[in-house]
Amino acid sequence: MVVTARREEAEGVVGVELALPSGEQLPSWTPGAHIDVELPGGLTRQYSLCGDPADGAAWRIGVLREADGRGGSRWIADELTEGATLRIRGPRNNFPLQPAGRYVFVAGGIGITPLLPMIRAVAAAGADWVLHYGGRTRASMAFLGEFAAYGDRVRVHPQDEVGLLDLDAVLGAPAADTLVYCCGPTGLIEALETRCRAWPAGALHVERFTAAPVVTDGADTAFDVVCERSGLTVSVAPEQTVLEAVGNAGIDVLSSCEEGVCGTCETTVLSGEPDHRDSLLTEEEKAAGETMMICVSRCRGARLVLDL
């Protein structure tokens, strides 16, 4: 895809628009979707689509320049120019917007990006909603101008002006018809998770920048993976991931973050009990054991059969 536009959306945040060189229509997507962007040096990074799903001619992403990151966002912020070509995978949606009577959206910093198209969708549908958008400073908060038309449904909370988000006030009392959507730093998500334990199951939906801490039962052990479609049985050593082991055996699986966040390597489980260590599947999905993220998750037992 070709970079058709590039602009500063806030301090440290770059907006990038992408289109096909031919001008053809792009694949459709829904609010919450993201794409994989392949960068120089073998890096692949995931960015939420934050434009209009009805615009089939272009996709838009917002990228926060992270000085202490692994280099992907710095390259986009410092080196990427209009007219450059990037290889893109997707879109995929691991953070879909579900129907509800009311929505509470909570964004921390660049976490506003997946919520932008959600807000457009619920506003167009006439739903009841409110956005609480926190950031370090007003100047660092991207896309503020796009919320002007929504009036007091949008509550802006720059930390240097009003302090941290008052999450008890943001959430209010648990409500059976309300869904909470949050994207932002780990601390914000963990604080919301704690408060939403009193809410109905499934009320909170989150998308993380980084993987949540993993608590394991003990030391990792070896196990076998039967790759059903390939007719191979692969041994996974204690220090290996399933992704590494099957890759070494010549089975190519698409992957990206290798942290259990993006969902690229999600694989169907045909038999056996996964030891889920991802930050993507819900507790209900983990209990069902129908799929697993093979970049981080392991086996509770001696054998897994996967659709590979």
Side-chain angles (χ1 to χ4, degrees):
M1 297 184 71
V2 175
V3 177
T4 56
R6 180 190 183 283
R7 62 179 64 89
E8 301 295 321
E9 300 290 356
E11 289 179 357
V13 179
V14 178
V16 177
E17 291 187 9
L18 301 160
L20 291 171
S22 63
E24 294 177 68
Q25 291 286 291
L26 292 161
S28 61
W29 59 280
T30 53
H34 71 268
I35 56 174
D36 297 339
V37 180
E38 296 185 8
L39 302 172
L43 295 173
T44 301
R45 295 292 178 267
Q46 294 76 43
Y47 296 105
S48 297
L49 292 171
C50 60
D52 183 354
D55 181 3
W59 286 343
R60 184 179 71 168
I61 58 175
V63 180
L64 171 66
R65 187 188 190 280
E66 296 183 86
D68 299 327
R70 290 181 286 179
S73 67
R74 291 199 304 275
W75 184 85
I76 290 176
D78 300 343
E79 305 293 337
L80 186 65
T81 59
E82 290 186 15
T85 301
L86 292 172
R87 187 173 177 85
I88 307 296
R89 294 202 304 255
R92 289 191 309 280
N93 198 338
N94 301 314
F95 189 43
L97 182 65
Q98 306 288 351
R102 179 174 179 269
Y103 298 90
V104 176
F105 297 104
V106 184
I110 197 63
I112 192 62
T113 50
L115 303 186
L116 265 169
M118 292 186 182
I119 289 165
R120 291 194 194 95
V122 299
D128 186 10
W129 63 275
V130 63
L131 166 67
H132 292 272
Y133 181 9
R136 291 181 294 100
T137 65
R138 196 175 294 269
S140 72
M141 299 170 70
F143 307 112
L144 279 179
E146 299 186 21
F147 296 112
Y150 297 129
D152 63 3
R153 287 188 182 274
V154 176
R155 321 284 171 81
V156 179
H157 305 263
Q159 186 176 342
D160 65 334
E161 297 177 23
V162 299
L164 294 173
L165 280 167
D166 181 350
L167 294 180
D168 293 324
V170 165
L171 291 173
D177 65 341
T178 299
L179 293 182
V180 181
Y181 277 81
C182 175
C183 183
T186 299
L188 173 62
I189 290 175
E190 290 179 347
L192 272 177
E193 287 175 333
T194 298
R195 287 164 173 79
C196 284
R197 287 173 188 153
W199 283 59
L204 177 62
H205 298 256
V206 304
E207 184 162 72
R208 299 176 182 272
F209 298 152
T210 57
V214 175
V215 178
T216 61
D217 297 334
D220 292 339
T221 58
F223 58 94
D224 289 337
V225 170
V226 178
C227 302
E228 184 75 10
R229 283 189 285 116
S230 303
L232 296 175
T233 297
V234 178
S235 294
V236 182
E239 70 279 2
Q240 275 185 312
T241 64
V242 176
L243 180 65
E244 290 169 339
V246 300
N248 291 342
I251 299 171
D252 188 24
V253 180
L254 282 179
S255 64
S256 183
C257 73
E258 299 188 14
E259 295 180 349
V261 174
C262 73
T264 306
C265 69
E266 186 171 8
T267 300
T268 299
V269 178
L270 302 177
S271 180
E273 184 182 0
D275 177 6
H276 294 290
R277 302 185 182 186
D278 66 274
S279 301
L280 192 60
L281 296 176
T282 65
E283 292 305 314
E284 293 78 12
E285 290 168 333
K286 290 178 179 179
E290 296 176 353
T291 67
M292 65 184 288
M293 307 303 160
I294 64 172
C295 64
V296 291
S297 296
R298 301 184 66 79
C299 177
R300 293 187 180 277
R303 184 172 179 268
L304 280 173
V305 182
L306 302 181
D307 185 23
L308 292 172

